[in-house]
Amino acid sequence: SYGQFSDSYQIESGDYRFTITNPDDDSILLRNRALSMPQNTNRTLFLYWTEEAVDDDGDGDVDENDDGQVDQLRAIISSLVVNNSDRSRLYDKELTLLNLVNTDDFSTVTFYFVKADEIIETAENKRNIIQGNATNLVLRNNTYQLFVIAKIDNNDIIIDERILTLDEDTSDLFLILEHSETSGSDYAVRVVNQVQ
């Protein structure tokens, strides 16, 4: 289901291909996606929804009736494979940050992890992430104010913020930026344990 994780699977190392279909009408959403699994790896495959404007006649115009709106959008299932952490550390945690937002407003966001004696501008721990990509960051156990900021119309806009506490009981985490119908900005970070 949308927004859910499937069960984990243990498979032999090798090269695979898979196809994704819509269970409602059996239409193919993604065909022959390549997936390489080297020996002794632990990976998570993220599937996310994007859209692109349709230009049926190939003239570069996606607003044929000149009403200021894109006439038609085509749904695309995109995918991203990330290596899961295999660390077991008490005093720091590995975070895998993912930007799965598809928007014309921005393509890159910056995650800032702000400690009590810092502000956004002076935060030591930050990462830029382009849409459809992931990056890792190791943080020492602490309480952080997490800000996710996008540059929109040449302004730094906070699209999500939250308190993130890392301690001895915290697992390594996925921080997934995705669309949200309940947030004021339409975007939110979902925090998920890498060990399910």
Side-chain angles (χ1 to χ4, degrees):
S1 297
Y2 178 80
Q4 301 295 312
F5 284 85
S6 71
D7 294 333
S8 296
Y9 297 96
Q10 188 168 358
I11 58 176
E12 297 291 324
S13 64
D15 294 312
Y16 296 88
R17 76 170 108 189
F18 64 89
T19 298
I20 299 173
T21 59
N22 182 340
D24 295 334
D25 60 9
D26 290 329
S27 61
I28 295 176
L29 301 174
L30 179 66
R31 182 188 306 269
N32 294 329
R33 185 356 175 139
L35 177 65
S36 289
M37 291 298 292
Q39 195 165 9
N40 299 320
T41 57
N42 183 2
R43 292 182 168 176
T44 298
L45 170 69
F46 290 89
L47 302 171
Y48 60 102
W49 185 273
T50 60
E51 296 175 331
E52 85 177 355
V54 175
D55 180 16
D56 285 329
D57 57 8
D59 66 354
D61 185 6
V62 295
D63 180 16
E64 300 290 346
N65 59 3
D66 293 323
D67 65 354
Q69 302 290 321
V70 173
D71 294 331
Q72 183 181 359
L73 293 172
R74 179 173 69 97
I76 301 170
I77 299 292
S78 296
S79 59
L80 177 63
V81 176
V82 299
N83 290 322
N84 296 346
S85 173
D86 58 1
R87 300 164 17 101
S88 179
R89 306 269 303 260
L90 284 179
Y91 303 110
D92 59 33
K93 302 298 177 272
E94 182 172 338
L95 310 180
T96 300
L97 317 174
L98 300 98
N99 177 0
L100 302 185
V101 169
N102 178 40
T103 179
D104 292 332
D105 294 333
F106 57 86
S107 60
T108 302
V109 296
T110 305
F111 282 68
Y112 291 89
F113 298 87
V114 181
K115 294 183 284 193
D117 61 345
E118 297 177 322
I119 61 173
I120 292 171
E121 186 175 317
T122 62
E124 291 179 11
N125 297 297
K126 61 186 177 185
R127 290 289 188 274
N128 295 322
I129 310 171
I130 298 171
Q131 187 266 325
N133 285 278
T135 189
N136 295 334
L137 174 67
V138 175
L139 289 179
R140 294 200 50 85
N141 291 352
N142 203 336
T143 296
Y144 299 88
Q145 181 80 20
L146 168 63
F147 292 94
V148 181
I149 295 181
K151 191 166 286 290
I152 301 174
D153 296 329
N154 211 29
N155 295 298
D156 290 336
I157 305 297
I158 298 171
I159 59 173
D160 196 18
E161 85 178 270
R162 66 177 54 231
I163 299 294
L164 180 68
T165 300
L166 306 176
D167 58 29
E168 292 83 1
D169 298 324
T170 307
S171 299
D172 290 338
L173 301 170
F174 293 124
L175 274 62
I176 307 165
L177 179 65
E178 56 192 2
H179 291 277
S180 170
E181 294 179 359
T182 58
S183 77
S185 69
D186 296 329
Y187 312 103
V189 172
R190 183 158 48 125
V191 179
V192 179
N193 289 338
Q194 287 194 26
V195 178
Q196 293 288 330

